[in-house]
């Protein structure tokens, strides 16, 4: 399995500020994704982090609000910009790496964000 | 539009018995399905997956069944153990792999009592 770490693990932020979340994978992966889990909700895909090009955003998510970088095959960042209390969520990155036997998508531990 | 649904928010089972978690989907383009387990303050952990070309996949105590005509899948855990207590998410994707976008259900909280 892939080992994925995220920093910070949690943060409390003030309205109107921005937070950048880092995601590091222990080896090169094909694809990286960013998800959000709002309180009491399921996981929702924000965007696919493309290496060397702009991220691909899902409906309802825009680059100005959630800029994403992926400078190489093991690292990505997600910025939550101009935060409001509605952005309070768990943000998770995931990565896909396959093998001959099995392919799957692995998740990081998540970043718990509380916006006051 | 909830394309993947887990209609049971919670399930309580006695240790040693079978746990059956259910998941329904509406998008007929989904052809690859996964189950994840999530503990509090951790990310989801992959459990088992199934391609739409199969109707059953086993891995130890975990078996996933897929009924394509009913657009329904289930996860069986036998025997259930207290350490299985967690939130279980089913997820679906298109393209026959988990390489792309996953659409998740709402999750089912499983509690296994000693």
């Amino acid at each position: 399995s892939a080992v994925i770490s995220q920093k910070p693990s949690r943060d409390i932020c003030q309205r109107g500020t921005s937070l950048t979340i880092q995601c590091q994978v222990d080896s090169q992966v094909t694809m990286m994704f960013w998800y959000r889990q709002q309180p009491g909700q399921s996981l929702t895909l924000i965007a696919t982090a493309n290496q060397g090009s702009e991220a691909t955003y899902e409906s309802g998510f825009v680059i100005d609000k959630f800029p994403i970088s992926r400078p190489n095959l093991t690292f990505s960042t997600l910025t939550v910009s101009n935060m409001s209390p509605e952005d309070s969520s768990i943000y998770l990155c995931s990565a896909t790496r396959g093998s001959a036997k099995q392919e799957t998508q692995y998740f990081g531990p998540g970043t718990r964000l509380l916006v006051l | 539009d909830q394309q993947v649904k887990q209609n049971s928010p919670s399930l309580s089972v006695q240790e040693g018995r079978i746990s059956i978690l259910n998941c329904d989907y509406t998008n007929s383009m989904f052809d690859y399905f996964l189950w994840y387990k999530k503990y509090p303050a951790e990310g989801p952990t992959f459990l088992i997956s199934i391609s739409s070309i199969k109707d059953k996949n086993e891995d130890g105590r975990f078996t996933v069944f897929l009924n394509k005509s009913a657009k329904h899948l289930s996860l069986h855990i036998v025997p259930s153990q207290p350490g299985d207590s967690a939130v279980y998410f089913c997820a679906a994707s298109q393209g026959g792999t988990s390489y792309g976008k996953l659409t998740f259900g709402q999750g089912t909280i499983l509690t296994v009592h000693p």
Side-chain angles (χ1 to χ4, degrees), chain A residues 9-21:
Chain A
S9 59
R10 59 177 62 231
D11 208 342
I12 301 173
C13 300
Q14 295 298 319
R15 181 195 300 259
T17 63
S18 297
L19 176 72
T20 295
I21 303 168

Side-chain angles (χ1 to χ4, degrees), chain A residues 37-104:
Chain A
Q37 185 183 19
Q38 293 178 299
Q41 304 293 314
S42 185
L43 284 77
T44 301
L45 181 66
I46 297 172
T48 303
N50 299 310
Q51 196 266 327
S53 64
E54 197 170 280
T56 305
Y57 290 84
E58 296 298 306
S59 175
F61 298 96
V62 295
I63 187 172
D64 290 345
K65 177 67 176 176
F66 297 102
I68 288 170
S69 78
R70 189 179 171 194
N72 56 52
L73 292 175
T74 64
F75 184 79
S76 177
T77 67
L78 168 75
T79 299
V80 186
S81 303
N82 188 24
M83 288 184 284
S84 66
E86 292 71 34
D87 294 320
S88 298
S89 294
I90 301 173
Y91 292 85
L92 301 114
C93 72
S94 71
T96 299
R97 184 169 66 192
S99 69
K101 281 183 65 176
Q102 183 171 281
E103 57 191 33
T104 195

Side-chain angles (χ1 to χ4, degrees), chain B residues 21-111:
Chain B
L21 297 110
N22 294 303
C23 180
D24 297 295
Y25 62 96
T26 58
N27 188 341
S28 57
M29 298 298 291
F30 289 145
D31 55 9
Y32 197 84
F33 304 90
L34 307 90
W35 284 94
Y36 286 86
K37 177 171 71 174
K38 187 178 184 300
Y39 294 118
E42 294 184 12
T45 301
F46 169 74
L47 278 176
I48 192 169
S49 62
I50 188 168
S51 165
S52 61
I53 63 174
K54 296 184 176 181
D55 53 19
K56 177 183 174 182
N57 189 25
E58 283 182 84
D59 186 359
R61 295 187 297 115
F62 302 93
T63 302
V64 56
F65 295 92
L66 175 62
N67 183 332
K68 289 188 291 293
S69 60
K71 294 190 176 67
H72 176 83
L73 65 154
S74 61
L75 174 68
H76 293 209
I77 307 173
V78 182
S80 301
Q81 300 172 354
D84 295 329
S85 298
V87 181
Y88 288 78
F89 290 96
C90 68
S93 70
Q94 302 179 26
T97 75
S98 69
Y99 270 48
K101 168 185 176 179
L102 294 182
T103 301
F104 282 83
Q106 308 95 308
T108 297
I109 301 170
L110 173 65
T111 304

